[in-house]
Amino acid sequence: MSTSPPARVPSSSQIPSNNSSSNLNESNQHQQQSQAAWPSTPNDYELNEIIGVGATACVHSAFCKPRNEKCAIKRINLEKWNTSMDELLKEIQAMSSCNHENVVTYHTSFVVGEELWLILRLLEGGSLLDIIKHRMRKTDCRHGVFDEATIATVLKEVLKGLEYFHSNGQIHRDIKAGNILLGDDGTVQIADFGVSAWLATGRDMSRQKVRHTFVGTPCWMAPEVMEQDHGYDFKADIWSFGITAIEMASGTAPYHKYPPMKVLLLTLQNDPPNLDTGADDKDQYKAYGKTFRKMIMECLQKDPAKRPTASELLKHPFFKKAKDKKYLTQTLLPTGPSMKTRVNKAAKRQPGTSGRLHRTTSGDWVWSSEDEDNNGKNSSDSEEEGKPKPLNQIEHADSSDEEESEPSTTTTTDPTAALDVTNKLTVVEDDFRVVNLVLRMRNSNRELNDIRFEYAVGKDTADGIASELVGAGLVDNNDVIVMATNLQKLIDQRITIKTVTFQLSNSGGETPDEKSLIGFAQISITD
Amino acid sequence: MPFFGKSQKSPAELVKALKEALKALETLKAGGDKKAEKAQEDVSKNLVSIKNMLYGTSDSEPQTDIVVSQLAQELYNSNLLLLLIQNLNQIDFEGKKDVALVFNNVLRRQIGTRSPTVEYICTKPEILFTLMAGYEHQEIALNCGTMLRECARYEALAKIMLYSDEFFNFFQYVEVSTFDIASDAFSTFKELLTRHKILCAEFLETNYDKVFTHYQRLLNSENYVTRRQSLKLLGELLLDRHNFTVMTKYISNPDNLKLMMNMLREKSRNIQFEAFHVFKVFVANPNKPKPILEILLRNQDKLVDFLTRFHTERSEDEQFNDEKAYLIKQIKELKPIQTDGTSQSSQQQ
């Protein structure tokens, strides 16, 4: 597994193999050609530019010197990783138990200081979402982002990955364009196992116990996952796959305009969405044919039992339109952002732009950003350097006479040691003073809303929180800067001012009025 | 439904065919030639058939109990389980996973309250030791881990593993440089030390010195994850009431207290926090031995000061704050020992 080089069998995607077992065998054969194992020391790798930034991690493009091979390195800051380490192990186990052309290729992982480095195959094309967004900026996508052949080609690869995944007893739980990566050669891989789950623990793989945890991203989430009454199974991924199909055509998930809570309501109460759900005009997406629409409809059935399996979907007539991956190198990849653009974007990307809605044990719905604990955009190195050198020694020995002679490493003779510790703790206390805030503004229905949130001084950033609010669908994307600026102002001057009011980019067609908060928003300190 | 389903082969035939293919693979080993490839294919094919017999497929049910019990019997008689594990690194990627699926399924099989496979493995402990040694081989480590943890669920098997010399190899396995293997080994290690409370307590008591000498090395590891994980597990072990004797012994040793006080001041806040949960046991002990009391007394003011400022941002964690307040109170109220030397334990390190 960890020794297998990335599979490159260009012909494989041309074989119309809809049969599951043949797909699985196909992947086995890539195994054999192994060379030196992937090393587990940081010095064997050259870290290059950052190509992605997440909450507790950033992804570098990198080069493995002994193997003379490019790779991607995901650096996870374990100090910021507050979930149990077991969750992390599960994610890695899920990845390492996969060996398939369409599932992200995991090479190895090791600990470097307080970071965990995951060595993965480098997919130069970036995510499908990056490509969609870039294309929407550069060309007129009003009548659709990609043609059917491109969509079919990409989605067929995704399905093959899903089929493998499911046959492995795993559910991905977060299928969306943002989690589909593209290689320079047109390879399509499903990535981000952060929330994937194992079902196959019981006796019977095909009829497993169902899962009862609530994870995923609301717009892509199947109704039964939201409801949580009866649990869910592999079919939840098929729903998300259907939403992803819409995303590839229209550029966004159907309910992307709404805040998470609203998405839940719409998904549960309305008929399943379709290609035209998010459209401005009825005829906007008329270029897409019946077969495509029918495929989407089959995936988006509220009763999971009625949705086809990944294997069944692969036989759907729509995927007859699929071409090989070379086709993608001609149609899809040239329209995506260059590596350089993405690198710049990654560096600028704000924390909080993506997140997950989940239900707590008490039954409350909470939105948690993937970037929650991120207080800086880049890796932890820079921050750590700034801090005073930590002490690994403690004071008890310095007050104990008989222990001074011990060659123990625990002994320190530095009389300032104890003082330093105290200083450090004071800083921490000051650093993380939490300010309780309320943002009052009108929602899309022009009703006044109070959004309460916390700001941990020294830990949160105004930019981060502003993007989090945008990410949660609570604040318009155009207002991210004004929101951040005013939040920053309030935090900086919190001793003297307790509230800020500022104008927003959109007043919903009415005359802006500061007093009644039409086209204005207000942030106040509540404590 | 046809009696033998789609596989056409009976359990006996399947096991025989798999065994032959494995033998061929074993002798051809270095190969890479056509014959070895063929043998590998045969192994994988037969494994899939056996897996389908046990789990069924999307279009067929698992086989009846009679067939499954025939299969199990054949597996025992042919010694195939051991053979599969011994040759695991020769088997292809999906085949390795199938071995684990088959193994775990057969292991879980019950007849009434009996677990025949557990009984069988008790007579073939080599199976367990081969699985444990799997952690030394990167390409099979995680597959072996999956099977080991299933074994560890059964007290009889956990006992064999715990009381073996090989158990102490875990102290190396949990620290290997590859994270996935080290942490897989750690979860097996943890399972063995925590799953069967009474067994674990007995083991820790009888092997206290050896275990904690080794454990000390984990707590002082260069590897951040090893340190953090082993500290967390230590806290869990000491706070489990079954391990009362072990806890009492642990918290009587001033070296252990010093180590925890050092860890309270580690750079990593996660490690500080875990250390707190061990440190609190020393303080909460109503019968503190003299050396422990002395250290606490020597640092009385500093500790109160330190704890007052310790992780103050955890304001929502009520239990933590209560515990912290309790510790501060306890330490403030510490009184020097009377010199008449009455009931205080005078245990030395």
Side-chain angles (χ1 to χ4, degrees):
Chain A
M1 81 208 154
S2 51
T3 53
S4 71
R8 279 179 214 278
V9 182
S11 63
S12 68
S13 54
Q14 288 164 325
I15 303 168
S17 53
N18 294 334
N19 169 314
S20 75
S21 60
S22 74
N23 278 338
L24 304 192
N25 289 338
E26 199 178 292
S27 69
N28 288 343
Q29 286 151 16
H30 305 315
Q31 263 296 86
Q32 321 304 343
Q33 9 156 342
S34 67
Q35 33 168 313
W38 287 84
S40 50
T41 42
N43 293 340
D44 283 330
Y45 297 88
E46 232 166 63
L47 277 180
N48 298 322
E49 68 278 15
I50 294 178
I51 51 174
V53 180
T56 50
C58 64
V59 184
H60 288 260
S61 144
F63 184 74
C64 176
K65 291 182 270 184
R67 294 176 63 95
N68 194 24
E69 191 174 335
K70 283 196 269 183
C71 60
I73 299 185
K74 183 170 176 181
R75 298 168 63 188
I76 301 171
N77 184 321
L78 295 171
E79 266 299 287
K80 290 180 188 167
W81 182 269
N82 289 328
T83 347
S84 93
M85 211 82 92
D86 297 343
E87 292 299 311
L88 200 54
L89 177 61
K90 270 188 221 149
E91 174 178 355
I92 293 170
Q93 274 172 339
M95 280 198 295
S96 64
S97 73
C98 289
N99 178 33
H100 190 271
E101 168 80 357
N102 302 112
V103 179
V104 69
T105 316
Y106 162 84
H107 298 312
T108 189
S109 57
F110 48 88
V111 178
V112 183
E114 288 176 0
E115 289 181 350
L116 175 64
W117 287 21
L118 302 188
I119 313 298
L120 306 165
R121 172 169 172 189
L122 178 67
L123 290 148
E124 302 89 338
S127 84
L128 188 55
L129 182 65
D130 289 331
I131 299 178
I132 292 175
K133 281 185 165 169
H134 185 78
R135 200 176 159 106
M136 286 173 79
R137 270 194 303 272
K138 299 285 168 189
T139 57
D140 178 16
C141 291
R142 202 182 136 65
H143 299 287
V145 183
F146 300 119
D147 60 34
E148 288 194 7
T150 306
I151 296 176
T153 311
V154 173
L155 289 184
K156 186 173 175 184
E157 297 301 302
V158 174
L159 270 183
K160 285 197 271 181
L162 266 187
E163 179 188 46
Y164 176 84
F165 217 70
H166 292 169
S167 76
N168 228 356
Q170 291 166 279
I171 327 176
H172 187 281
R173 307 202 286 185
D174 207 8
I175 294 290
K176 53 180 182 181
N179 284 338
I180 295 166
L181 304 182
L182 285 123
D184 264 351
D185 60 348
T187 301
V188 178
Q189 291 198 328
I190 301 175
D192 195 348
F193 286 49
V195 295
S196 70
W198 293 85
L199 272 187
T201 46
R203 181 183 157 78
D204 174 1
M205 278 230 289
S206 51
R207 273 163 301 279
Q208 281 308 315
K209 290 171 288 189
V210 284
R211 299 279 312 189
H212 286 278
T213 0
F214 183 90
V215 284
T217 319
C219 283
W220 287 262
M221 202 182 279
E224 72 273 16
V225 181
M226 298 176 173
E227 272 176 340
Q228 293 201 297
D229 291 338
H230 315 289
Y232 56 93
D233 64 2
F234 306 110
K235 296 295 184 65
D237 281 342
I238 301 296
W239 176 282
S240 310
F241 177 84
I243 300 286
T244 308
I246 296 181
E247 196 183 4
M248 284 196 76
S250 70
T252 54
Y255 301 134
H256 76 283
K257 284 183 216 148
Y258 302 101
M261 251 17 121
K262 180 85 177 170
V263 175
L264 294 190
L265 280 178
L266 290 171
T267 310
L268 292 172
Q269 289 170 359
N270 289 9
D271 285 339
N274 56 52
L275 202 44
D276 301 315
T277 303
D280 301 325
D281 308 322
K282 204 164 74 212
D283 289 338
Q284 196 173 343
Y285 299 120
K286 64 176 183 209
Y288 294 104
K290 269 204 193 104
T291 324
F292 182 44
R293 289 166 184 274
K294 203 153 172 291
M295 191 277 292
I296 295 174
M297 205 179 76
E298 283 177 33
C299 296
L300 300 182
Q301 298 186 76
K302 286 203 169 172
D303 179 359
K306 289 185 181 155
R307 289 172 218 151
T309 62
S311 311
E312 284 161 359
L313 260 180
L314 277 166
K315 293 177 197 143
H316 195 278
F318 174 67
F319 296 104
K320 294 215 172 70
K321 295 176 198 271
K323 310 219 154 122
D324 60 8
K325 62 184 182 183
K326 206 171 144 218
Y327 181 75
L328 297 181
T329 63
Q330 291 151 4
T331 61
L332 191 66
L333 290 163
T335 66
S338 66
M339 187 79 145
K340 194 163 182 325
T341 325
R342 286 193 294 114
V343 169
N344 289 338
K345 265 188 60 203
K348 270 185 261 160
R349 188 171 299 164
Q350 295 301 337
T353 45
S354 67
R356 295 195 170 97
L357 192 69
H358 54 93
R359 201 182 243 183
T360 62
T361 41
S362 58
D364 295 328
W365 297 95
V366 290
W367 171 265
S368 61
S369 156
E370 283 170 358
D371 305 324
E372 240 170 14
D373 296 308
N374 196 16
N375 50 359
K377 280 176 290 271
N378 280 329
S379 69
S380 55
D381 295 11
S382 49
E383 312 165 15
E384 277 165 19
E385 275 161 22
K387 286 185 188 160
K389 275 260 152 50
L391 286 151
N392 289 321
Q393 294 150 338
I394 197 162
E395 69 261 49
H396 71 82
D398 64 14
S399 53
S400 154
D401 300 335
E402 78 250 32
E403 275 156 25
E404 258 174 23
S405 52
E406 271 180 28
S408 151
T409 51
T410 64
T411 309
T412 172
T413 47
D414 179 359
T416 63
L419 193 67
D420 278 355
V421 164
T422 347
N423 279 347
K424 196 177 163 209
L425 286 170
T426 322
V427 171
V428 168
E429 190 189 4
D430 260 354
D431 266 1
F432 293 112
R433 219 191 89 77
V434 171
V435 183
N436 289 308
L437 297 154
V438 59
L439 166 66
R440 175 167 291 184
M441 60 184 288
R442 292 185 186 272
N443 64 14
S444 50
N445 295 331
R446 296 169 46 220
E447 301 148 350
L448 267 184
N449 266 349
D450 277 353
I451 301 154
R452 290 174 194 282
F453 59 96
E454 286 180 350
Y455 186 105
V457 181
K459 187 166 171 235
D460 284 322
T461 63
D463 289 355
I465 294 213
S467 349
E468 216 169 307
L469 291 166
V470 173
L474 297 164
V475 170
D476 191 284
N477 198 19
N478 296 324
D479 293 322
V480 65
I481 293 168
V482 65
M483 192 63 67
T485 317
N486 282 282
L487 180 56
Q488 189 66 54
K489 182 174 148 198
L490 184 61
I491 293 296
D492 289 344
Q493 306 174 36
R494 63 183 185 277
I495 312 296
T496 47
I497 55 170
K498 294 292 171 207
T499 184
V500 287
T501 310
F502 49 94
Q503 191 165 4
L504 299 170
S505 57
N506 187 342
S507 58
E510 292 176 74
T511 321
D513 177 8
E514 188 170 347
K515 259 205 189 116
S516 54
L517 291 180
I518 294 172
F520 276 82
Q522 186 177 61
I523 311 176
S524 318
I525 296 173
T526 56
D527 54 358
Chain B
M1 190 173 83
F3 195 62
F4 292 127
K6 282 179 13 180
S7 75
Q8 310 285 326
K9 282 184 187 160
S10 71
E13 286 165 336
L14 264 180
V15 168
K16 186 162 172 275
L18 179 53
K19 190 169 179 173
E20 275 164 15
L22 263 179
K23 286 279 181 201
L25 194 61
E26 199 176 23
T27 44
L28 290 167
K29 254 174 192 163
D33 58 12
K34 281 267 151 24
K35 269 187 189 163
E37 245 173 62
K38 169 78 171 66
Q40 200 177 46
E41 253 170 54
D42 286 347
V43 169
S44 310
K45 210 173 63 195
N46 285 301
L47 275 170
V48 170
S49 303
I50 293 180
K51 180 181 76 174
N52 291 344
M53 203 172 248
L54 294 169
Y55 289 91
T57 63
S58 48
D59 12 71
S60 71
E61 293 285 322
Q63 285 293 348
T64 57
D65 285 351
I66 305 162
V67 180
V68 170
S69 90
Q70 281 174 356
L71 175 67
Q73 208 51 53
E74 289 296 332
L75 287 172
Y76 307 151
N77 295 340
S78 61
N79 212 7
L80 190 62
L81 291 179
L82 180 60
L83 208 59
L84 280 170
I85 294 163
Q86 282 170 334
N87 292 290
L88 198 56
N89 58 347
Q90 301 291 319
I91 301 175
D92 68 26
F93 188 85
E94 299 299 326
K96 287 187 185 101
K97 292 195 285 184
D98 290 342
V99 169
L101 281 172
V102 168
F103 183 95
N104 286 355
N105 186 298
V106 174
L107 186 57
R108 283 192 292 265
R109 205 169 71 86
Q110 284 194 311
I111 303 176
T113 54
R114 284 183 51 222
S115 297
T117 309
V118 174
E119 290 167 18
Y120 166 75
I121 296 179
C122 283
T123 67
K124 298 260 176 208
E126 204 187 342
I127 292 181
L128 297 173
F129 303 135
T130 312
L131 284 176
M132 284 157 87
Y135 279 121
E136 288 160 28
H137 306 280
Q138 185 152 340
E139 65 289 354
I140 58 167
L142 299 193
N143 305 99
C144 290
T146 314
M147 292 184 263
L148 273 177
R149 276 190 297 284
E150 196 67 40
C151 291
R153 296 177 58 214
Y154 299 94
E155 187 160 350
L157 302 183
K159 188 171 182 176
I160 296 175
M161 290 191 266
L162 271 178
Y163 282 94
S164 68
D165 289 338
E166 286 85 347
F167 172 75
F168 288 88
N169 292 336
F170 271 103
F171 288 97
Q172 273 101 58
Y173 300 157
V174 300
E175 232 193 329
V176 297
S177 62
T178 319
F179 170 82
D180 49 7
I181 298 176
S183 39
D184 192 286
F186 193 88
S187 47
T188 308
F189 177 71
K190 182 177 172 183
E191 184 80 4
L192 286 172
L193 285 177
T194 53
R195 176 96 192 188
H196 308 282
K197 300 296 181 193
I198 295 167
L199 171 71
C200 299
E202 274 172 15
F203 168 74
L204 290 173
E205 280 166 45
T206 39
N207 294 280
Y208 180 89
D209 289 333
K210 192 174 180 191
V211 171
F212 284 94
T213 313
H214 280 79
Y215 209 100
Q216 196 81 349
R217 267 182 252 148
L218 299 186
L219 295 171
N220 285 314
S221 169
E222 291 281 298
N223 185 315
Y224 165 83
V225 173
T226 310
R227 262 197 336 276
R228 181 167 157 188
Q229 295 273 72
S230 57
L231 185 57
K232 181 157 187 271
L233 176 59
L234 177 65
E236 287 168 26
L237 286 174
L238 297 182
L239 290 170
D240 189 320
R241 61 189 167 82
H242 294 92
N243 295 329
F244 183 78
T245 315
V246 171
M247 176 198 74
T248 315
K249 208 163 174 183
Y250 191 87
I251 61 172
S252 301
N253 185 337
D255 285 340
N256 294 335
L257 174 59
K258 286 180 213 162
L259 179 65
M260 284 314 130
M261 285 168 73
N262 274 327
M263 291 187 107
L264 274 177
R265 295 181 39 181
E266 275 249 3
K267 184 179 78 170
S268 152
R269 295 178 63 76
N270 284 299
I271 290 181
Q272 293 171 2
F273 189 61
E274 297 301 343
F276 174 85
H277 290 297
V278 180
F279 173 74
K280 71 186 182 193
V281 193
F282 287 90
V283 180
N285 180 8
N287 303 308
K288 296 179 198 57
K290 192 162 166 269
I292 299 289
L293 192 59
E294 279 173 356
I295 294 177
L296 293 176
L297 276 169
R298 268 202 306 273
N299 291 283
Q300 196 169 24
D301 296 342
K302 283 179 196 160
L303 278 169
V304 168
D305 197 38
F306 178 87
L307 287 172
T308 312
R309 296 158 187 276
F310 185 73
H311 289 218
T312 42
E313 82 289 354
R314 290 185 195 267
S315 50
E316 354 57 273
D317 188 343
E318 263 181 53
Q319 197 187 337
F320 168 73
N321 285 303
D322 290 351
E323 288 178 355
K324 202 171 77 167
Y326 176 76
L327 290 196
I328 294 172
K329 183 167 168 285
Q330 288 290 308
I331 295 173
K332 271 187 184 161
E333 290 171 359
L334 282 178
K335 293 278 181 303
I337 315 146
Q338 282 89 38
T339 39
D340 61 2
T342 43
S343 64
Q344 291 293 349
S345 150
S346 57
Q347 195 173 353
Q348 287 301 322
Q349 62 256 64

